[in-house]
Amino acid sequence: MQEVFMKRALLLARKGIGFTSPNPCVGAVIVKGGEIIAEAYHKKAGQDHAEVLAIREVMKKSGIKTVDLEPALFHNAILYVTLEPCSHNGKTPPCAKAIVAAGFKKVCIGMKDPFKKVNGKGIKYLKEHGVEVELCRSGSALADEIRSINQPFIKWAQSGLPYLTMKAGMSLDGKIATCSGESKWISSELSRKHARLERSKCDAVLVGAGTVRADDPELAAHGVYKNKDLIRIVLDAKLGLPLSKRVFRDDNVIVFYTHEANSKAISEFQKAGIDIRKTTSDLAGLKKIFKFLAKRDFQNIYIEGGSDVHGKIFDLSTRSNGLLDRVLFYIAPKLIGGSKSLSVIGGNGVDKISKALNFKNVNFETLGDDIKLEGEINIY
């Protein structure tokens, strides 16, 4: 395997970040005579996969109709693809069969697909049909980089839970609001713009009722993702939020409530056509919410919850490994102080340093006067 070609496939795969869910991001290149003759990446769930697009590009250049496969075109060609080709019928036909039909004798694969309908079956199919398969060496820098672009997909496939990113804009002393509740604005416009783009890459954004009541956020997708149907998830135990809030502007919203909501409130939300789901107020209820969302194919969830919601997720994460996966904090050079000012993470917290959540791969970046801190708690 020549890493330069796999790195090119990885670069292509990155173009799909934020667009392909619930499918993973995948890039592919076809190499012949030491040169790339075709390349492609998966653009959107339901559309053709990267391998098939690359094959069709070669056929198009050769003037052959896409419905015809001409093995001579791929004689001595090598396919590089970042993820194991699928072998099952989904929204598109199996890629492994297309690869065999095209006449490839060798395929280089970045990583095995953890999705249970694939998970080695694509590799097995290729080998059974005389195709040499070479996997990127596990634990290598390139293999780790390939896995990094599909962390939400990998976690979802392996655990049945979504990948959670906790985002917050805060002061240097960890405050997200003053003692009077004022929070606009602690972080800079540049930080907020960056945070909106990070949100837009996800499948859903989760907030608490307090945040909606105080800030009336739009929670929309932005930039190149502006036409994306980003799902808004609201935790409103009493269903006490006014339906005039912007989070209720269309049907891309799910509200979770508890026994605290009365029948009148439930009726009003139902009449408004809002998807409401009953849960419990304890930490077990919170985990059930995430399991429910994963079953709905929400793999990548952005938590903009406020202190209380952040605290509940943190507390659950200290008891249940593998819940909170990543933090994205925008830290402004301000000091707010005060025991009654809201801290970024509420809840009970830990009683011993040994129980604290530790970061891996911590990165710092300056955004104007602010500092963006990004760290991973879990790596899949």
Side-chain angles (χ1 to χ4, degrees):
M1 180 186 299
Q2 295 186 51
E3 286 196 356
V4 63
F5 298 126
M6 188 61 78
K7 287 179 179 178
R8 177 59 188 170
L10 173 59
L11 189 65
L12 292 165
R14 289 186 182 279
K15 293 183 177 182
I17 292 175
F19 294 105
T20 63
S21 186
N23 289 354
C25 300
V26 183
V29 299
I30 297 174
V31 177
K32 191 171 183 178
E35 300 288 337
I36 294 176
I37 61 171
E39 59 184 32
Y41 68 96
H42 183 44
K43 296 178 175 64
K44 187 178 180 180
Q47 296 184 6
D48 287 325
H49 292 185
E51 306 95 311
V52 171
L53 289 172
I55 290 170
R56 287 180 177 171
E57 184 182 334
V58 174
M59 299 177 78
K60 183 179 179 180
K61 289 177 180 177
S62 303
I64 295 176
K65 294 181 180 179
T66 57
V67 292
D68 301 319
L69 285 176
E70 177 50 65
L73 281 177
F74 303 97
H75 183 64
N76 293 329
I78 301 174
L79 173 65
Y80 284 78
V81 60
T82 54
L83 187 73
E84 175 185 5
C86 63
S87 56
H88 65 288
N89 284 295
K91 293 182 179 179
T92 58
C95 293
K97 290 186 177 181
I99 292 166
V100 169
F104 285 97
K105 296 303 178 185
K106 183 172 182 178
V107 177
C108 296
I109 297 172
M111 63 168 284
K112 190 167 76 170
D113 189 338
F115 184 48
K116 63 181 179 180
K117 289 185 178 180
V118 187
N119 198 23
K121 297 183 181 70
I123 293 172
K124 181 181 178 183
Y125 182 89
L126 293 174
K127 288 182 175 180
E128 287 176 346
H129 289 79
V131 180
E132 180 187 350
V133 175
E134 185 177 355
L135 269 170
C136 196
R137 183 170 56 85
S138 179
S140 66
L142 180 56
D144 290 345
E145 196 174 353
I146 289 170
R147 295 183 71 87
S148 72
I149 67 167
N150 283 314
Q151 286 291 287
F153 173 77
I154 296 171
K155 180 186 179 182
W156 171 83
Q158 291 179 340
S159 71
L161 288 169
Y163 187 88
L164 303 185
T165 295
M166 180 185 291
K167 170 264 171 185
M170 69 183 77
S171 64
L172 198 58
D173 54 342
K175 303 295 184 179
I176 61 172
T178 66
C179 59
S180 67
E182 184 181 0
S183 61
K184 292 184 179 179
W185 294 107
I186 294 175
S187 58
S188 67
E189 173 57 32
L190 186 59
S191 290
R192 298 196 299 276
K193 182 178 180 181
H194 188 279
R196 288 193 292 266
L197 284 177
E198 285 289 325
R199 174 207 298 154
S200 303
K201 295 175 185 177
C202 297
D203 303 325
V205 53
L206 184 148
V207 296
T211 297
V212 175
R213 185 174 289 107
D215 299 337
D216 192 19
E218 187 181 20
L219 302 180
H222 289 262
V224 295
Y225 307 100
K226 65 181 179 180
N227 295 321
K228 182 177 179 178
D229 290 331
L230 186 67
I231 303 300
R232 301 176 299 279
I233 302 162
V234 182
L235 306 184
D236 184 7
K238 297 180 179 180
L239 292 181
L241 287 170
L243 294 176
S244 58
K245 293 294 185 181
R246 292 193 292 175
V247 292
F248 303 126
R249 63 186 177 276
D250 56 36
D251 58 4
N252 292 322
V253 60
I254 304 172
V255 182
F256 289 91
Y257 70 98
T258 71
H259 68 279
E260 296 180 63
N262 59 43
S263 57
K264 181 182 178 182
I266 293 171
S267 177
E268 287 178 353
F269 272 73
Q270 288 174 334
K271 286 179 181 178
I274 296 171
D275 186 358
I276 57 174
R277 304 276 171 167
K278 190 173 184 179
T279 186
T280 55
S281 58
D282 56 6
L283 296 183
L286 183 60
K287 189 163 187 177
K288 287 178 182 178
I289 288 174
F290 291 124
K291 286 184 176 180
F292 167 82
L293 294 171
K295 287 181 180 179
R296 292 274 295 265
D297 287 343
F298 297 120
Q299 299 174 358
N300 198 358
I301 298 181
Y302 200 65
I303 311 295
E304 293 193 64
S307 182
D308 182 56
V309 170
H310 287 173
K312 288 177 180 177
I313 291 172
F314 176 84
D315 288 344
L316 182 56
S317 298
T318 60
R319 301 182 186 185
S320 178
N321 291 333
L323 188 64
L324 181 61
D325 300 296
R326 173 175 171 254
V327 297
L328 189 57
F329 290 164
Y330 299 88
I331 306 168
K334 297 179 174 76
L335 293 175
I336 292 176
S339 60
K340 294 183 179 179
S341 300
L342 282 178
S343 296
V344 62
I345 298 176
N348 295 320
V350 297
D351 58 356
K352 295 180 180 179
I353 296 297
S354 60
K355 295 180 182 179
L357 298 182
N358 296 305
F359 297 161
K360 309 175 185 75
N361 298 335
V362 179
N363 291 302
F364 296 91
E365 180 184 345
T366 56
L367 296 172
D369 291 333
D370 292 355
I371 297 172
K372 184 197 77 171
L373 182 152
E374 180 180 3
E376 295 171 303
I377 297 167
N378 301 299
I379 299 176
Y380 302 96

